[in-house]
Amino acid sequence: MSNITKGIAASDGVSLCSAYVLVEPAFNIDKTNNANPEIELANYQQAVANTKQQLINIKEVANKTIGEEKAAVFEAHVQLADDPEISQAVAQMINEQKVSAAFAVETIYDQYHNTFRQMEDAYFKERAADILDVKKRLLSNILHVDLPNIFAIKQEVIIVANDLAPSQTALLDKKYVKGFITQLGGRTSHSAIMARTLEIPAIVGVNECTSLIKTGDLIGMDGATGEIEINPTNKNTWVDKQSHYLQQKEELKSFINANSVTTDNHTVKLEANIGRPEDVNKALANGAEGIGLFRSEFLYMDNDHWPTEQEQYEAYKKVLEDMGEKEVIIRTLDIGGDKKLPYYTFEEEMNPFLGYRAIRFCLDNKEIFKTQLRALGRASVYGSLWIMFPMIATIDEFKEAKAFALSVFEQLKNEGHKVADNIKIGAMVEIPSIAIAADLFAKYCDFFSIGTNDLNQYSFACDRMSKKVAYLYQPNNPSLLRLVKTTIAGGHLHNKITGMCGEMAGDIMSVPLLLGLGLDAFSMSATSIPKARRLISKLNYKECQELANQAILCDSINDVNELVNSFLKQRNLM
C-alpha cells in the first residue's frame, strides 16, 4: 500500500527510483572537564588542517560539477573552519574549562548555528546549514568517525536524509542520484541551490522522512509540487509525470528570450533578484529583462570592513555593463534587524525589525551612505541605473534621502566625474504607510518596488520566524492584495511604474492576481523567469483583472486561493 506525503518543493524534476537512506554518524563526545588542554588543542588544530584540505578537495570537484560561481561557497566553508574568532573561542574553552576539543567545537559552533538559524532573513537563516556542515566535518576529523560516503553510490537512487550538507550535495553524481529528500532545509539553502544547478529533483522539510522511508522503497517524487509517494500502487502515473515534466522543460527553453506578453497583448517585465555581481550571468541566461533587485548589503556582509567607494564602484559597474541597456535596480544598504556586520555593533533594541535599520541607519550615518552613493553615481554612466531606498516610512524621509543623493551626485560632477542624467530614484514599499499613501509618495518617487515579505510582516504584525504566528504569513490575503492595488494605482496616477521583488512575484498562485492588479514588473530568482513567462503568455489580462477584482472582495486567503486554483484549472494551467 502506498503512502503519500509532502514537503517543500526545492528543485524541479520528477523521479521514480529506489530510496537510499543516509545514516548520520554518531559522535561520542566526552563532556567531562578533565581533558589535557595541550593534547586537545593539538587535536583541534590537526582537525582544522584536515578539514580545510578536505574542503579544498571538495571545491575542486564542485568547480567541475556545479561551476566556480556555486563552488565558491566552499571557500566560505574553509574560512568557517579556521575563523579567527571561532578558533579563539574554541581554544579559550579548551584552556579554561579543560574540555575535549570535540566538546568545545560542538559548543561554539552550535552557538553560531543558533544565531544564524534565528535570523529573519531567509538567506542568512539558511547559512546556518553551512556552519553545521563545517562542525560535522571538524568533529569527524577529531573523533575519526567517517561521514557518509556519497562516492560509494553506484546505482540509481533517491537519497533520503535528515539533512544533506552542501559539501555532500556538491559531490552528487546525477548519473546515479535521481533526487533527494530531507527532513530539514529550505528553498534558499545551499543544498537546494546546488540541486537546482545540478538539475536534480529535491524536496526538503519532510517530517520524519528517514522513518517513513526505508532503503529499497520505491519512491515517486515531484520536486515542483513537493509531492512524495512511497511504494506507489500505480508506477505508470509517475512515468507519465516524468514524461510530462520533460516536455514542459523543453517548452520552457523557448520562453527564455521571448516577450513577457499576455494573450491579449498586455506586456510586463520579468526581472531577476541578485545578491552579487556574478549572479548577472544566470539572470541573462534565463532571459531577465532587467535586475529588479540588487541586494547591495552583500557587499558589506561578505566583507571584514566597510567596503570602499572603489570596491563598490567596481561591483556596480560590472552589473550595469553586463546588463547593457536593461534597467538595474540597486537597493541601498539594508542592514539592521537580523542583518549584522562583523565590524559594526548595533545597539540592543526591544524590536530590532521596527528599529534602527536600512534607510534610518543610512540617514543617521551619512558618511557611510555617501560612500555608497558616490560609487553608484560614478557607475551610473555604464548602464541604466535605478536606485531604491529600503524601509521608507514617510515622505519627509524619502525627500531627505533623495536630496542627499542628488547633492552627492552634484559634488561628483564638480570634481570632474561623469554622472548619468537619467538615474531613477525610487522606494521600496515594505511599510503600510507608504502603500496607503502611494499617490502622495509618487509625486516624489520615480518608481515603486513592493517587498512583499516585509509588507506582509508589518501589515499583519507577525514575526515570520515565529512558528506560533506563521499562519499569518499570507501573501494572497485580500488585505495585502488591497495594499498592492493601492500602491500600483497611486504610482500609475503619476505615470510611475510599480514592480515587485518579493517571493510573491514568482509564485504561480499570485502571478495572475498581480497581473490583474496592474503590476508592471515582476522580479524573482533567475531560474523562475522562464516558468513565469510561460504562465503569463497563456493568461488573458482582462480575465486576470476580473479575477483580481473578485479576489479583493474575498474574506480570506483560503477563498482567494480557491478562486485562483479554479481559474488556473479551467485554463489547464495547473
Side-chain angles (χ1 to χ4, degrees), residues 43-229:
N43 288 343
Y44 170 61
Q45 289 161 0
Q46 185 60 54
V48 168
N50 292 344
T51 296
K52 287 172 65 177
Q53 188 56 56
Q54 290 164 3
L55 290 169
I56 289 169
N57 295 342
I58 289 171
K59 184 183 177 184
E60 290 177 1
V61 173
N63 280 337
K64 299 172 184 175
T65 57
I66 60 175
E68 292 186 10
E69 182 184 330
K70 294 291 186 295
V73 64
F74 295 110
E75 187 59 42
H77 280 210
V78 171
Q79 293 171 8
L80 273 172
D82 198 19
D83 180 271
E85 189 176 324
I86 294 177
S87 295
Q88 183 180 356
V90 170
Q92 186 175 351
M93 190 172 181
I94 289 172
N95 280 320
E96 293 180 2
Q97 299 183 31
K98 293 184 172 54
V99 295
S100 67
F103 183 64
V105 164
E106 181 181 55
T107 303
I108 300 301
Y109 275 84
D110 278 353
Q111 289 173 2
Y112 279 84
H113 173 255
N114 291 333
T115 298
F116 273 75
R117 191 180 60 182
Q118 291 167 16
M119 288 184 174
E120 185 261 353
D121 186 275
Y123 180 89
F124 292 101
K125 182 184 179 186
E126 293 297 351
R127 300 296 71 77
D130 300 326
I131 295 169
L132 201 60
D133 190 5
V134 174
K135 182 194 83 169
K136 286 181 180 178
R137 191 161 292 279
L138 281 167
L139 289 176
S140 74
N141 283 312
I142 291 170
L143 300 171
H144 306 292
V145 175
D146 291 334
L147 293 174
N149 185 5
I150 301 294
F151 282 127
I153 299 173
K154 296 300 178 186
Q155 60 183 21
E156 292 188 355
V157 296
I158 291 173
I159 291 178
V160 181
N162 180 56
D163 196 10
L164 206 56
S167 60
Q168 293 174 313
T169 314
L171 299 176
L172 297 180
D173 185 343
K174 59 187 297 184
K175 177 181 177 183
Y176 300 115
V177 178
K178 300 303 178 182
F180 70 75
I181 298 167
T182 64
Q183 181 165 316
L184 304 178
R187 272 193 62 84
T188 53
S189 66
H190 275 313
S191 296
I193 293 168
M194 289 178 188
R196 291 194 287 274
T197 302
L198 290 166
E199 297 185 326
I200 293 175
I203 301 174
V204 299
V206 182
N207 289 332
E208 300 181 352
C209 62
T210 54
S211 301
L212 288 170
I213 303 170
K214 308 298 181 189
T215 294
D217 281 345
L218 185 64
I219 303 295
M221 65 177 291
D222 186 340
T225 65
E227 183 186 1
I228 299 164
E229 188 172 7

Side-chain angles (χ1 to χ4, degrees), residues 306-528:
W306 293 106
T308 65
E309 179 183 325
Q310 187 63 22
E311 287 172 336
Q312 294 189 63
Y313 161 74
E314 289 171 1
Y316 305 143
K317 176 175 177 284
K318 175 174 171 49
V319 173
L320 286 162
E321 282 184 326
D322 288 351
M323 291 303 296
E325 296 179 357
K326 296 174 180 175
E327 68 192 44
V328 174
I329 301 178
I330 299 179
R331 180 172 69 189
T332 56
L333 179 57
D334 185 8
I335 54 166
D338 64 334
K339 297 174 185 174
K340 307 298 184 185
L341 300 176
Y343 45 87
Y344 179 84
T345 303
F346 284 88
E347 291 183 14
E348 290 291 325
E349 294 181 288
M350 289 292 290
N351 295 295
F353 294 105
L354 302 178
Y356 191 58
R357 55 177 299 202
I359 198 64
R360 302 166 184 182
F361 172 86
C362 289
L363 290 176
D364 194 41
N365 295 272
K366 287 189 174 172
E367 282 305 309
I368 293 171
F369 196 23
K370 183 178 180 180
T371 299
Q372 180 172 38
L373 291 170
R374 283 179 62 87
L376 287 166
R378 286 172 56 200
S380 64
V381 294
Y382 294 98
S384 178
L385 175 64
W386 296 40
I387 297 172
M388 176 165 66
F389 300 138
M391 283 292 289
I392 291 292
T394 69
I395 290 175
D396 286 341
E397 201 172 39
F398 179 81
K399 288 169 70 176
E400 181 184 354
K402 183 176 181 178
F404 184 65
L406 294 176
S407 71
V408 170
F409 300 156
E410 196 60 35
Q411 183 182 8
L412 283 170
K413 292 176 186 176
N414 292 337
E415 293 174 8
H417 294 286
K418 290 182 180 180
V419 178
D421 57 9
N422 60 345
I423 300 173
K424 303 288 188 185
I425 300 179
M428 283 277 282
V429 179
E430 303 167 277
I431 300 174
S433 60
I434 183 171
I436 293 167
D439 59 326
L440 303 178
F441 278 86
K443 292 187 290 183
Y444 308 97
C445 299
D446 292 330
F447 67 94
F448 293 131
S449 183
I450 303 172
T452 51
N453 296 343
D454 271 336
L455 186 60
N456 189 110
Q457 178 170 236
Y458 294 132
S459 297
F460 293 95
C462 67
D463 179 353
R464 285 186 289 143
M465 300 313 299
S466 171
K467 291 182 180 179
K468 299 282 188 183
V469 296
Y471 69 94
L472 287 171
Y473 183 68
Q474 300 185 9
N476 280 1
N477 186 288
S479 299
L480 197 75
L481 294 177
R482 289 180 179 219
L483 287 175
V484 171
K485 180 180 181 179
T486 303
T487 301
I488 296 169
H492 287 178
L493 190 65
H494 296 274
N495 297 314
K496 307 295 174 64
I497 73 163
T498 298
M500 179 178 289
C501 56
E503 292 295 321
M504 190 176 173
D507 189 333
I508 187 174
M509 293 295 291
S510 300
V511 168
L513 296 169
L514 297 173
L515 190 64
L517 291 171
L519 192 71
D520 301 297
F522 299 66
S523 192
M524 60 198 72
S525 63
T527 53
S528 299

Side-chain angles (χ1 to χ4, degrees), residues 274-287:
I274 65 170
R276 294 171 177 81
E278 57 267 24
D279 294 343
V280 167
N281 298 331
K282 191 149 199 176
L284 291 171
N286 283 279

